[in-house]
Amino acid sequence: MTKTMSIRMDEENYDFLKKLSNEEHGDVSKAVRELVNKGRLMLAVERYREGKASLGLAAELADLSLGEMINVLAEYGVRSHLETEDYLKGLENLRKAW
């Protein structure tokens, strides 16, 4: 489901969005949605990098699966916060689940 939102912004940002949408042959609404999606991704990467978000929370912020988030973090050169013990515990939990 989509929702409609009205926002206020300064003229410089509006002009930027207008220019961006013209370059992409779209409309301003589409440009805003793309920037919000990219902003969510960057927020997730930043918070994970700073240790303020777990892998699961980062994936949730970015609206990605865990696997996709791991790939994104790798693309941005972000090292994993997982220690060997965490990995081994995850494997043990997986074995119990099977």
Side-chain angles (χ1 to χ4, degrees):
M1 175 179 12
T2 61
K3 301 251 183 190
T4 301
M5 173 191 249
S6 175
I7 61 170
R8 297 180 194 272
M9 69 176 59
D10 60 44
E11 192 170 342
E12 184 179 340
N13 282 323
Y14 181 80
D15 290 343
F16 169 75
L17 287 170
K18 194 79 165 149
K19 181 180 176 189
L20 184 64
S21 65
N22 287 337
E23 289 172 0
E24 300 288 324
H25 305 292
D27 60 18
V28 174
S29 293
K30 182 180 177 188
V32 170
R33 286 190 300 273
E34 288 177 6
L35 286 172
V36 167
N37 287 334
K38 289 180 191 226
R40 287 180 68 167
L41 183 68
M42 292 295 93
L43 179 66
V45 168
E46 179 181 290
R47 287 198 178 164
Y48 184 82
R49 179 183 287 133
E50 294 172 350
K52 294 180 180 177
S54 65
L55 180 59
L57 179 57
E60 190 176 316
L61 287 170
D63 194 28
L64 298 174
S65 69
L66 288 175
E68 290 169 324
M69 192 68 219
I70 289 169
N71 290 335
V72 166
L73 291 169
E75 287 173 17
Y76 283 94
V78 178
R79 295 183 56 117
S80 172
H81 295 217
L82 293 176
E83 300 292 330
T84 303
E85 295 157 6
D86 297 324
Y87 177 75
L88 293 174
K89 185 172 182 170
L91 283 177
E92 183 59 33
N93 288 337
L94 185 59
R95 283 188 193 109
K96 289 178 184 176
W98 281 34

